[in-house]
Amino acid sequence: MSVPPHNLENVPDQLGYLVLNQEGAVLSSAGDLENDERTARILLNMVRLACKVRISEDKLDFFKRLSVIFDSFLYVATISNHRIYISKRKLMPKDPVQA
């Protein structure tokens, strides 16, 4: 699977990535997400749902990035050039705030 260069390999603390077309087909993948069509389907459904949610009255205003956060990692999904880019990254929690 290959698509034009997308530089997802350079994302800091990345564990893997997926590149999907608008129909949800995996165009490119690597790391923990290599050929992970199940995760691709789940995140594609979440992105499609997020696209339907109105953020403001302005119809041109739509979400830019979707993050799904777990205890030790997170998925970050964004849409660009009719493709969905998903990166799985290590979660680097910040120190708790002392009150």
Side-chain angles (χ1 to χ4, degrees):
M1 292 183 229
S2 67
V3 294
H6 40 64
N7 295 322
L8 286 175
E9 299 87 7
N10 300 329
V11 174
D13 301 314
Q14 179 173 257
L15 301 171
Y17 69 83
L18 289 163
V19 179
L20 312 177
N21 67 14
Q22 291 177 306
E23 290 77 36
V26 177
L27 302 175
S28 181
S29 63
D32 288 1
L33 298 178
E34 188 163 4
N35 299 320
D36 189 345
E37 293 184 11
R38 179 180 178 274
T39 299
R41 243 186 346 269
I42 291 167
L43 290 170
L44 176 65
N45 287 334
M46 294 173 81
V47 166
R48 285 180 174 159
L49 179 61
C51 286
K52 293 178 184 177
V53 175
R54 288 183 58 178
I55 296 173
S56 70
E57 297 298 318
D58 183 2
K59 292 185 180 192
L60 298 176
D61 195 17
F62 57 94
F63 89 100
K64 293 179 177 54
R65 188 172 299 115
L66 174 70
S67 298
V68 181
I69 302 170
F70 293 89
D71 287 336
S72 61
F73 67 92
L74 69 142
Y75 294 110
V76 179
T78 190
I79 299 173
S80 179
N81 296 325
H82 306 287
R83 291 198 170 104
I84 301 162
Y85 297 89
I86 299 168
S87 179
K88 181 179 179 182
R89 300 177 65 186
K90 291 181 196 174
L91 182 61
M92 306 300 268
K94 300 190 185 221
D95 293 333
V97 177
Q98 298 295 324

